[in-house]
Structure formats: C-alpha cells, structure tokens
Amino acid sequence: MREVTAAERPPEPDWSTMTVEELVVYREAENRFRASSTARAITGDPDPGAAIRWQEVALPGRELPVRVYRPLPGLDGTGADRADLPLVLHVHGGGFVGTAVQSDWVNSHLAAQLPAVVVSVEHRLVDPQNPLSAAVDDGWDVLQHVVQRAAQWGIDPARTAVFGESCGALISALAAIRAREAGLPP
C-alpha cells in the first residue's frame, strides 16, 4: 500500500484478503484523512461555542484517550465552569477504522447548544489483539469513570445520555444496559 497524505482518502481495501499489517496501515491512513481539513468539508466545522481537547482517562490496566467537548462561557460568563452540566457519552463509529475526531461537528454542537459535557471515547479498534469486547469495555469503563467522578468532570450524573453511530451505537447500547444493571443513571 502506498503512503497516503492526510488530504487523500486511501483506496478501499480488499477486506477479505487484508493482513493485520495492511489493516494497520489502512487504519492509520483513513484516520488521518478523517481528522484532516479535507474531511471537514464533508463532516462540517466544529461549533465555535465549544472547547475541544484530548484527555487521558486512567482505567484499570490502561490509559484511554477521550475527546472532551465543553461549552464556552456565554455572554453572561456562565457555561464552561458549571458543575451541573449533563453528561453525553459518545462512542464513534467504525469498529475497524475510526476516530473521535470524525464526530467533532455533532459533539461540539451538542456541547455548545444543550449545553453539556460530551465525552467521546477513543475506543480500541477491532483487530486480532483487540476483540469487539475490548471496545465494549472501553465504553463502559469510561462511562463509570466519568459518572463516579462527576464533580471533577463538572457533570450531573443523574442527567446522563449515551449515543454513538454504527459500531459506536452498539458499544453505547451495551454501556447503557450495563449501567442500568449497575444502578447508574443513563
């Protein structure tokens, strides 16, 4: 596979014959494209009323990046520093290829317009070393982490929602089921 720049979308691979090494190369190229300014023409620009940053979440046995979206302070000076904002846990689509950055438009608009704290899980992508259950654990573990540390995150844990698209929708639904069984409030 030839080197692909961030502005180019890599050619669709032959999934049935792809090796693990080829999957990793394709995944990296596709995710560079999804995070590029070229992709923004398709996915849209983030809402200027939201701050976006990466944060590491310390989970049992691993650190996991999450993309956090917070409303910026409004004209009246309120918003970003509120301690009672709803939590929206988001899980991006793409079981084999995907990144939280591809959802900046929707997540930043939710953060700015609701307002809410949106935490997008950069889950492990599926490959021979990471089965789907690893990605499911990532969604659940981040949800528990944030809800259990509500004050640190500035959220009201009683106002929690989860959502995702494609594989992320499955992960979100399973996190919601686990939360209900554990007595947590999505």
Side-chain angles (χ1 to χ4, degrees):
M1 185 176 263
R2 69 178 180 78
E3 185 68 25
V4 178
T5 67
E8 292 180 87
R9 186 164 216 162
E12 186 74 20
D14 180 354
W15 294 97
S16 64
T17 63
M18 181 179 260
T19 66
V20 173
E21 294 78 19
E22 291 170 333
L23 172 62
V24 170
V25 169
Y26 174 76
R27 172 185 291 166
E28 290 171 359
E30 178 66 15
N31 286 345
R32 274 193 311 275
F33 172 77
R34 291 181 185 197
S36 72
S37 58
T38 302
R40 292 266 188 232
I42 300 165
T43 61
D45 289 322
D47 191 305
I52 305 170
R53 68 182 176 89
W54 284 103
Q55 182 172 332
E56 293 288 324
V57 173
L59 298 172
R62 67 195 188 284
E63 295 251 332
L64 192 68
V66 295
R67 197 144 166 95
V68 181
Y69 307 79
R70 289 189 174 277
L72 292 173
L75 296 176
D76 61 359
T78 62
D81 58 346
R82 287 179 42 195
D84 64 343
L85 289 168
L87 167 66
V88 178
L89 181 84
H90 169 261
V91 185
H92 68 80
F96 300 105
V97 174
T99 176
V101 177
Q102 72 194 28
S103 301
D104 277 355
W105 185 91
V106 68
N107 288 334
S108 65
H109 279 76
L110 286 172
Q113 304 303 318
L114 283 178
V117 174
V118 180
V119 177
S120 188
V121 180
E122 186 79 351
H123 62 81
R124 288 172 282 180
L125 298 173
V126 179
D127 62 29
Q129 288 76 39
N130 293 302
L132 178 59
S133 60
V136 171
D137 288 343
D138 291 344
W140 167 238
D141 290 345
V142 169
L143 178 61
Q144 286 184 102
H145 176 91
V146 175
V147 167
Q148 291 170 353
R149 293 160 183 80
Q152 293 171 357
W153 286 83
I155 58 121
D156 175 359
R159 299 184 326 163
T160 299
V162 298
F163 86 105
E165 59 280 338
S166 193
C167 182
L170 171 65
I171 295 168
S172 297
L174 293 172
I177 291 167
R178 280 179 162 178
R180 182 187 65 213
E181 291 171 353
L184 294 178

